[in-house]
Amino acid sequence: MSTIDMLQHILFEFSVYEAAHNAPYKARAYQSAAETVSQHADDLETLWKAQGIKGLKELPGIGTAIAEKIDEFFRTGRIASYRTMKQAFPVDSARLSTLEGLGPKHIFTLWQKLKIKNLSDLEHALQHKKIAQLPGFGEASQARLARALHLKRAASGRPALGFILPIAEELVAHLTRLPDVTRSAYGGSIRRRQETVGDIDLIATSNHPIRVMEAFVHFPEVDSVIEQGPTRTLVRLHNGLDADLRVVPDQVFGATLLYFTGSKQHNILLRERALKRGYTLNEYGLFKGKKLLACAHEEEIYTRLGLDMPPPELRVGGEELLAAEHHALPDLLPYGSVRGDLQVQTNWTDGSDSIEQMARAARTNRLSYMAVTDHTKALTFIHGLHEREVTKQGKEIDRLNKKYTIKTHARLLHGTECDILRDGTLDLNNATLSALDWVGVSVHTSLELEATDMTKRIVKALSNPNIDCFFHPTSRRIGRREPCAMDMDEVLATAKKFRVALEIDATPDRSDLNDLHVRSAIRAGVPLVIDSDAHSPDHFRFLNFGEGIARRGWATKTDIMNTKTLTQLRAWLEKKRPRPQWTA
DNA sequence: GCCGTTTTCGGCCCGACTGTTTTCAGTCG
């Protein structure tokens, strides 16, 4: 667990403790502080180092008491009052809370009556049927907890957005086809383009909600029904994910979409803002007393509240509302802005298709240029290229660029995805690298290095004057591999100094850089690119997910280098070093 | 515990559904 994760975990456990002890407002305070900490995972410690407690208190939801706790945590690595609390309530409440349907009150009862501290204790108690007799529980609760625990044990974490979005789109299409449905949409983390998805939130509008719900629970994707009512129905899909459907009259679509898009914290802040102005906001509209003020479109609700409308990707419940109030929302990079893909693998190494086929597919996806970036020789198991083969590949690229025009094939750049070796040296010699149009480097081996060694390794590599881009900087794979440990601030400073772009790798389970890194990179003045890391022709569609990550990181078009035309990109690159092999 | 163009004290988002209740507490989004 990283330092920040630990801090977030502690704040969350305080929140559970307070909620269990009938202090809902304290609980909320801790929870929103935990939220703020996770939003500032990347720059919290930097902020603390620079400005101390005073700086922390500037953040939303962090006042004197919590700022002092965070200060103590960074100074000493622990928090005295947390230890005291844990002595009284030595329960892994954060982990227990991840079970569907188990909240603070029940966690506390489990501890008081049965001394249940963690998931294993709970499993044991369930096996011996001890839960049903507890006050506030019953046979149904016992069975539900057993199911939740089983599901938790079976699940391997939240799936990446890229795998779930197509399913959400399919469900929306099913709903839209129902005769009783006027409109349908997905909301939630999917609409906000969060990198992973916990469940699928759906909205439909209809005058016959009960019929719609009845049709919904019989969709082929549905495994079982968890809750079913006339306005809200929750089902579990065969893939293990939950889908939550709200059905409302068509005229309140905007209010419901706003509510169901979230984030939860964003909604809370909006509703508080409404209250201060004498309004109430719910999923049916913005009201003054019983009078309906706005409900048809999201934008009119924001306008009534004196706000510009933040795009869904920014709705985390933090700075976006301040920016919305001061007409300072960023002009986010529009979807479809990327003009060229700068990381593509072909069948020269581990890609499935030829350079020619990939260039055609890129063009079909409306890209006008594409860098061929096959792996290098350190990756023996996929026959990474040696210097001589790299040179030979250049000749093939020249040939194809002469043979085809932009009408049918993307313009090809000769590039590489050169391995950064364990000691920070590169897997191709400088003569070969300097002859390339585009040089990307990345880490594929010795991923487990300590942060100091990994940072040194990366800094050394990025200092090479031939390097243009650092591909998938943390090398994480969602659900399979943690990000490499490194000092991201130092990596950013190095990238800035040597004018190396950092990549947003849009392959769904990579999503690397993530949104927080993107924001830090932009603040640090580091150029970015968005690549699909395509290994087959149908991977170019991933670029859309990369654009989503960039938008969540508040990126505008000027922050992303491959939104430039090829001519502009070339001019930008040549400021660093001449490109001898460039084929215009 | 946090917060302030009503406020430094007294508020704190809101509705739906389930289960264990006999009018509501707990949980969720």
Side-chain angles (χ1 to χ4, degrees), chain A residues 17 21 82-91 108 111 115:
Chain A
Y17 180 80
H21 289 80
Y82 176 66
R83 289 168 68 91
T84 313
M85 184 273 278
K86 286 295 267 190
Q87 276 162 14
F89 184 53
V91 175
F108 190 66
W111 159 243
K115 296 288 171 245

Side-chain angles (χ1 to χ4, degrees), chain A residues 6-7 9-11 13-14 17 30 69 72-73 76-91 111:
Chain A
M6 199 125 57
L7 179 58
H9 181 92
I10 288 170
L11 292 171
E13 291 207 336
F14 269 121
Y17 180 80
Y30 278 114
K69 286 189 169 71
E72 183 185 354
F73 178 77
T76 69
R78 56 203 211 187
I79 299 174
S81 57
Y82 176 66
R83 289 168 68 91
T84 313
M85 184 273 278
K86 286 295 267 190
Q87 276 162 14
F89 184 53
V91 175
W111 159 243

